[in-house]
């Protein structure tokens, strides 16, 4: 005979298909959101779709996919010559319109000076020439201002590095992606702008990449390439590096060099403790110059930042010198 079974209290217990009793614990689930998020995050990362450059048809599709694979390859012409031609044209057009407006003003000043004092009277003329002229001036000057501001903005964009431009040229030539003459744009090195990359890039980045290229491939892939970058292509001649990892490695190198440049003069001053004050001053001056050159060459520090960092280095060196010697 079946026994009567009391239904579980709401919100306390559920009976699973196996007959085991389970407890509803909404507060237990809410207390571990980080673990759940971590689980789904790793699963999503493994399932991420990464467009493979090799899967695109040869030509502009494959070139666009290759540019998309690394922001450093987003290099385009800015057409400075054409921009200047257009600016000169609009500038002269505005000068002509300006002269026409002056002529209208002079004629109306002689015939009916009230026209220059009342817009309504000017518009009531049978031929409202001034209103039409001002409308044309407004349209032209708007076009001129837009092109002028955009040209100024583009002139401040950074140029691509020689290393990245050379990689671009080699890829186009080796893959034969474009028809004859259509890949000539990349050879206008003085007219190119780089849309990608960081402003902090310097020649040290290129040296570090060359060093990474020289180490064993498995080690380089493990430390400097992400999983997504490994899926980009199966071509052994195309190598991608994770910029965040490279930047971290470069910052580490610069931190070590900075510490060395700060400590070496300390050891030198200890070594020449019995020397004259002039020799010690020369040591401080020499390492200050080395530190300033180090910042100027290996970073994109601005002038005031370079001055402030050098001044801080001198202060630290002089405090040590005055306190111990």
């Amino acid at each position: 005979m079946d026994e009567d079974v009391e239904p579980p209290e709401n919100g306390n217990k559920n009976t699973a298909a196996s007959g085991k009793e389970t407890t509803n614990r909404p507060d237990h689930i809410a207390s571990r959101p980080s673990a759940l998020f971590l689980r789904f995050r790793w699963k999503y990362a493994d399932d991420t779709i990464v467009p493979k450059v090799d899967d695109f048809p040869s030509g502009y599709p494959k070139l666009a996919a290759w540019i998309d694979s690394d922001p450093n390859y987003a290099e385009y012409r800015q057409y400075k010559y054409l921009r200047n031609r257009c600016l000169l044209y609009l500038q002269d057009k505005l000068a002509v319109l300006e002269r026409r407006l002056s002529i209208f003003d002079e004629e109306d000043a002689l015939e009916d000076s009230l026209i220059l004092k009342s817009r309504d009277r000017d518009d009531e003329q049978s031929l409202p020439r001034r209103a039409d002229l001002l409308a044309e001036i407004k349209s032209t000057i708007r076009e001129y201002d837009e092109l002028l501001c955009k040209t100024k903005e583009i002139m401040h964009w950074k140029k691509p590095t020689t290393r990245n431009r050379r990689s671009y040229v080699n890829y186009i030539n080796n893959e034969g992606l474009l028809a004859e003459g259509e890949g000539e744009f990349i050879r206008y090195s003085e007219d190119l702008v780089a849309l990608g990359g960081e402003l902090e890039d310097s020649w040290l980045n290129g040296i570090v990449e060359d060093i990474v290229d020289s180490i064993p491939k498995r080690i380089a892939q493990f430390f400097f390439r992400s999983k997504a970058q490994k899926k980009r292509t199966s071509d052994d001649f195309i190598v991608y590096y994770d910029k965040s990892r490279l930047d971290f490695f470069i910052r580490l190198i610069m931190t070590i060099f900075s510490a060395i440049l700060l400590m070496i003069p300390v050891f030198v001053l200890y070594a020449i403790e019995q020397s004259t004050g002039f020799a010690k001053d020369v040591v401080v001056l020499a390492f200050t110059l080395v530190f300033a050159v180090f910042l100027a060459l290996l970073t994109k520090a601005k002038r005031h930042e370079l001055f402030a960092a050098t001044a801080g280095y001198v202060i630290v060196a002089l405090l040590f010198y005055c306190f111990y010697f």
Side-chain angles (χ1 to χ4, degrees), residues 11 35 56 58 70 95 99 109 112 116 126 138-139 183 230 233 239 274 292 310:
F56 289 82
S58 180
D70 192 327
R99 288 194 294 268
D112 186 1
L116 299 178
S126 58
K138 178 182 178 181
S139 175
K230 296 176 183 178
T233 181
V239 180
Q274 303 302 325
T310 305

Side-chain angles (χ1 to χ4, degrees), residues 17-31:
S18 60
K20 294 183 179 179
E21 203 173 60
T22 59
T23 304
N24 286 337
R25 295 282 304 277
D27 56 335
H28 172 72
I29 296 177
S31 65

Side-chain angles (χ1 to χ4, degrees), residues 108 112-119 121-122 125 130:
D108 290 336
D112 186 1
S113 61
L114 291 178
I115 294 178
L116 299 178
K117 299 179 180 180
S118 173
R119 181 190 58 80
R121 187 178 181 87
D122 188 19
Q125 295 185 93
R130 184 176 287 103

Side-chain angles (χ1 to χ4, degrees), residues 62-215:
K62 189 172 184 179
L63 179 59
W66 181 75
I67 295 174
D68 179 61
S69 66
D70 192 327
N72 289 315
Y73 297 142
E75 304 171 11
Y76 299 93
R77 286 190 62 183
Q78 53 183 317
Y79 291 101
K80 291 184 290 186
Y81 169 75
L82 295 181
R83 291 177 182 277
N84 289 322
R85 283 295 304 270
C86 292
L87 286 172
L88 289 172
Y89 172 80
L90 292 173
Q91 177 181 256
D92 186 68
K93 183 178 180 180
L94 286 172
V96 172
L97 295 175
E98 184 181 31
R99 288 194 294 268
R100 288 175 57 188
L101 181 62
S102 298
I103 293 174
F104 291 168
D105 292 342
E106 292 173 0
E107 292 176 352
D108 290 336
L110 296 176
E111 297 177 2
D112 186 1
S113 61
L114 291 178
I115 294 178
L116 299 178
K117 299 179 180 180
S118 173
R119 181 190 58 80
D120 290 337
R121 187 178 181 87
D122 188 19
D123 292 342
E124 289 174 356
Q125 295 185 93
S126 58
L127 295 175
R129 55 181 185 175
R130 184 176 287 103
D132 295 339
L133 180 60
L134 288 175
E136 185 179 359
I137 291 175
K138 178 182 178 181
S139 175
T140 305
I141 206 168
R142 181 187 295 115
E143 184 180 1
Y144 179 76
D145 289 344
E146 182 180 353
L147 181 58
L148 194 68
C149 294
K150 182 58 67 175
T151 301
K152 179 183 178 182
E153 178 184 348
I154 292 177
M155 288 177 64
H156 288 84
W157 291 358
K158 70 185 187 71
K159 294 183 176 297
T161 62
T162 303
R163 177 189 180 92
N164 292 334
R165 193 182 71 84
R166 187 170 59 246
S167 298
Y168 203 133
V169 173
N170 292 337
Y171 186 74
I172 292 178
N173 293 337
N174 295 336
E175 297 290 331
L177 298 179
L178 303 181
E180 184 177 358
E182 295 197 24
E184 293 296 319
F185 68 91
I186 196 62
R187 301 186 186 278
Y188 291 85
S189 58
E190 294 300 318
D191 196 46
L192 293 176
V193 292
L195 305 185
E198 298 293 336
L199 294 178
E200 283 295 325
D201 288 346
S202 64
W203 61 270
L204 180 61
N205 295 58
I207 294 178
V208 171
E209 290 184 13
D210 290 336
I211 295 175
V212 173
D213 287 339
S214 63
I215 64 179

